[in-house]
Amino acid sequence: MDKRFVYADNSATTKISKPVLEAMMPYLTDHYGNASSIYSLGMDSARAILNARETVAKAIGAKTGEIYFTSGGSESDNWAIKCAAEVGASKGKKHIVTTVFEHHAVLHTCQYLEKHGFEVTYVPVDEMGLVHVSDIEKALRDDTCLVTVMFANNEIGTIQPIAEIGALCREKKILFHTDAVQAIGNVEIDVAEMNIDLLSMSGHKIHAPKGIGALYMRTGINLPNLIHGGAQERSKRAGTENVAGIVALATAISECTKNIPEKQARLSKIRDRIIAELTKIPESRLNGDPIKRLPGNVNISFRGIEGESLLLSLDLEGICASSGSACTSGSLDPSHVLLAIGLPHSTAHGSLRLSLSDENTEEDADYICEVVPRVVEKLRAMSPLWERILRDEDIDAE
Amino acid sequence: MIYSEKVMDHFANPRNVGEIPDADGVGEVGNAKCGDIMKMYIKVNDGIITDVKFKTFGCGAAVATSSMATELIKGKPIEEALKLTNKAVIEALDGLPAVKLHCSVLAEQAMKAALADYYRRQGVDPALIIGDLSAPDTCEI
């Protein structure tokens, strides 16, 4: 098969789509007015933001006034968690419940709060990468002020029982936040039906540019500001609005939520074909639940090889992917997500994440299925660890 | 993180990959938990390293530093190989990202472990020539 370029790292970021670029372009060129200005150029921007807010709200079953634009998923997570903690502390409630495999924007924010007098319970996940509602319930205390659980995991793509956790939190009158950065556009979301109080979104995972996101905050919750200053976003989030980004986010959300069942059907078919082919490779395993997972997520570990060299080799073949190996995580330990589902270090080092989007085709899948086994074999041929695995040695005993 | 062209070249086309079945010395360093293992084979004739091969489990820098280290000692007298430092490997690769410097240390250690094995087989205590070769307790070097 001819060499081709396959971008299969859409959980890292995505290409800006044509409709998004077209929608945002006027606000990067002629319509540059500040939305706070009184003349018509400014009002055009204000109107664009208003329309965008309505679009985003509609896509997740929220009211227009419940959407606040931010700089992205990390800011939305920080705002929701730090400011919910602040409200909790004012009522003497300084306990937060989250899970062990959250995105670092949530985990590190929780760790920061621990240094500032809060207690955090990190609920474990099972070996399929699923959170159990009963474990969340067990972790709740009288002084719990917030539960934050990701909608879908960014590495292994597992979709969590958000509606059940939402119902539990509503019943216990505890704030419930979810980071839905990976879920938007892949899973139907209705914040009202699912009893979600706070929800983080990001633009660049759904074909909008980097640097734009939003926080949904249910009416009546009224968290304090994370960013203080001007009166933008109804005085809740200061900073001159990124009008082009906001328009892009709204366009992207409306595009990606237009026909979720159809997208799920198309992408999960490609996903399952890749999983079926790649798990034929000896000493490989699928990480995460095979069914309760994002339609475009593939995460497989290959024993005896290391993730970074796998990615570099795939890059030489034109395939962009990611891994949970220590070398690519920027730390000495492999992915906390893969360790959380019980993988030994050596297996976690050899993981490959492929994340597909609407842009990927069956031909891309054919190419992936042809290249990956070849590259794995090449790397194993030069791996002293693979020699030991073939000799049936216990490589994790060290 | 950015790799130099030389690192990418040695990763994409690693030199001296493989095994030497009748090697005069074999050394292996690193472990599976840390994510890198290097195994080096040497053939010695009249005090000259006439052949060297390696196998590496690890990241791009681990492969590239192993490859470069074998290139730097191949055909050299043992005394010269013993003087090879990780810094020389880094320089020969036009630099390494800071987080990857430990790979070059591992390459130096793999080479020295192979030489130590060679000395042991000759009935010579390698500690006297090469020094301490004990592995570090953590993944950090």
Side-chain angles (χ1 to χ4, degrees):
Chain A
M1 196 182 287
D2 288 342
K3 185 176 169 180
R4 59 193 282 140
F5 177 74
V6 176
Y7 185 75
D9 203 14
N10 289 281
S11 285
T13 197
T14 56
K15 179 179 172 180
I16 298 179
S17 72
K18 220 170 154 204
V20 167
L21 189 64
E22 273 167 15
M24 74 187 288
M25 203 47 119
Y27 301 94
L28 294 168
T29 50
D30 297 337
H31 296 265
Y32 51 84
N34 186 321
S36 304
S37 302
I38 196 66
Y39 38 78
S40 51
L41 189 69
M43 264 193 268
D44 285 348
S45 294
R47 214 168 285 124
I49 295 172
L50 189 70
N51 290 339
R53 204 183 309 283
E54 215 175 285
T55 304
V56 173
K58 206 182 277 174
I60 59 165
K63 293 179 217 126
T64 305
E66 295 175 322
I67 302 298
Y68 298 86
F69 294 110
T70 66
S71 66
S74 290
E75 184 192 323
S76 298
D77 287 342
N78 269 265
W79 185 6
I81 297 168
K82 285 179 185 162
C83 298
E86 188 185 326
V87 172
S90 71
K91 297 174 187 162
K93 295 183 171 185
K94 297 186 80 173
H95 177 243
I96 295 167
V97 173
T98 186
T99 75
V100 289
F101 78 157
E102 295 295 312
H103 188 275
H104 285 137
V106 169
L107 272 191
H108 291 172
T109 303
C110 287
Q111 286 161 10
Y112 167 83
L113 288 170
E114 280 184 288
K115 285 188 197 145
H116 289 80
F118 288 85
E119 274 184 71
V120 180
T121 302
Y122 300 91
V123 173
V125 296
D126 68 16
E127 58 186 18
M128 299 309 265
L130 297 170
V131 177
H132 292 231
V133 184
S134 55
D135 290 336
I136 298 285
E137 187 166 14
K138 267 184 260 164
L140 298 179
R141 308 192 321 209
D142 289 342
D143 63 341
T144 305
C145 62
L146 175 73
V147 172
T148 171
V149 177
M150 69 199 324
F151 209 116
N153 185 272
N154 50 314
E155 290 187 39
I156 53 175
T158 49
I159 299 164
Q160 307 307 320
I162 291 303
E164 287 87 334
I165 300 170
L168 169 73
C169 293
R170 188 60 54 87
E171 183 204 320
K172 305 277 184 191
K173 296 188 172 63
I174 297 169
L175 278 185
F176 175 45
H177 166 251
T178 184
D179 176 333
V181 165
Q182 298 288 344
I184 296 265
N186 287 310
V187 186
E188 304 273 9
I189 297 176
D190 188 309
V191 288
E193 238 172 62
M194 294 174 158
N195 291 307
I196 297 166
D197 296 319
L198 299 154
L199 178 143
S200 302
M201 295 167 253
S202 166
H204 77 107
K205 311 288 192 189
I206 52 171
H207 305 283
K210 293 142 189 82
I212 187 69
L215 179 69
Y216 151 79
M217 194 190 301
R218 190 167 63 85
T219 309
I221 288 178
N222 208 15
L223 292 188
N225 288 30
L226 179 71
I227 294 178
H228 297 88
Q232 293 87 359
E233 296 298 283
R234 284 97 75 215
S235 294
K236 294 309 281 174
R237 198 276 186 184
T240 301
E241 298 91 340
N242 173 1
V243 185
I246 289 169
V247 170
L249 176 69
T251 310
I253 287 196
S254 113
E255 288 282 315
C256 76
T257 53
K258 224 189 285 176
N259 204 339
I260 292 177
E262 194 182 295
K263 178 184 179 179
Q264 283 172 339
R266 192 186 81 85
L267 271 188
S268 59
K269 194 172 144 243
I270 300 179
R271 172 198 72 190
D272 291 342
R273 188 155 70 85
I274 296 174
I275 291 173
E277 276 305 311
L278 299 190
T279 49
K280 280 183 194 160
I281 296 173
E283 297 292 335
S284 63
R285 59 160 279 168
L286 175 70
N287 298 315
D289 193 279
I291 295 154
K292 292 175 186 164
R293 76 187 296 134
L294 293 173
N297 178 285
V298 175
N299 191 311
I300 296 177
S301 287
F302 305 102
R303 294 181 78 209
I305 62 172
E306 194 280 326
E308 190 201 280
S309 52
L310 176 59
L311 300 187
L312 291 171
S313 301
L314 291 177
D315 183 40
L316 292 171
E317 303 274 356
I319 298 173
C320 303
S322 73
S323 169
S325 88
C327 282
T328 54
S329 74
S331 76
L332 294 164
D333 284 319
S335 143
H336 67 288
V337 175
L338 298 179
L339 296 181
I341 60 168
L343 258 61
H345 278 65
S346 61
T347 308
H349 284 305
S351 70
L352 172 69
R353 180 189 71 179
L354 300 160
S355 43
L356 312 170
S357 80
D358 278 337
E359 308 243 329
N360 291 108
T361 62
E362 293 280 356
E363 287 73 27
D364 288 346
D366 292 339
Y367 188 65
I368 288 168
C369 293
E370 190 225 288
V371 171
V372 175
R374 180 153 49 80
V375 166
V376 169
E377 200 181 316
K378 185 192 122 202
L379 291 171
R380 279 178 171 172
M382 62 181 290
S383 165
L385 185 63
W386 181 242
E387 279 175 33
R388 291 198 217 161
I389 292 168
L390 289 180
R391 286 199 301 265
D392 235 3
E393 286 177 29
D394 183 4
I395 57 164
D396 299 306
E398 295 172 75
Chain B
M1 195 187 67
I2 298 167
Y3 280 138
S4 71
E5 277 179 32
K6 271 216 178 126
V7 171
M8 280 312 293
D9 176 39
H10 275 262
F11 172 76
N13 311 291
R15 288 32 158 200
N16 309 309
V17 174
E19 299 170 21
I20 303 176
D22 59 340
D24 298 315
V26 182
E28 185 175 311
V29 293
N31 67 61
K33 190 173 184 242
C34 299
D36 33 30
I37 300 174
M38 292 183 194
K39 192 169 185 179
M40 230 170 252
Y41 300 78
I42 53 168
K43 194 87 191 136
V44 180
N45 204 337
D46 275 345
I48 308 278
I49 299 172
T50 53
D51 198 10
V52 51
K53 292 261 192 277
F54 80 92
K55 283 178 104 174
T56 288
F57 157 77
C59 63
V63 173
T65 53
S66 317
S67 167
M68 183 53 89
T70 59
E71 281 288 90
L72 291 174
I73 63 167
K74 198 172 175 180
K76 300 275 165 64
I78 288 182
E79 292 72 31
E80 217 171 295
L82 282 171
K83 285 184 207 143
L84 179 75
T85 61
N86 72 308
K87 285 197 182 63
V89 175
I90 295 169
E91 274 166 31
L93 286 169
D94 290 342
L96 277 179
V99 292
K100 300 291 184 182
L101 293 179
H102 77 274
C103 294
S104 65
V105 177
L106 213 57
E108 179 192 324
Q109 287 179 338
M111 192 252 318
K112 287 189 170 157
L115 285 169
D117 184 50
Y118 165 74
Y119 280 119
R120 251 185 311 254
R121 293 186 194 196
Q122 305 296 311
V124 179
D125 180 3
L128 301 172
I129 301 162
I130 299 170
D132 182 27
L133 277 174
S134 56
D137 294 335
T138 67
C139 294
E140 262 168 306
I141 295 178

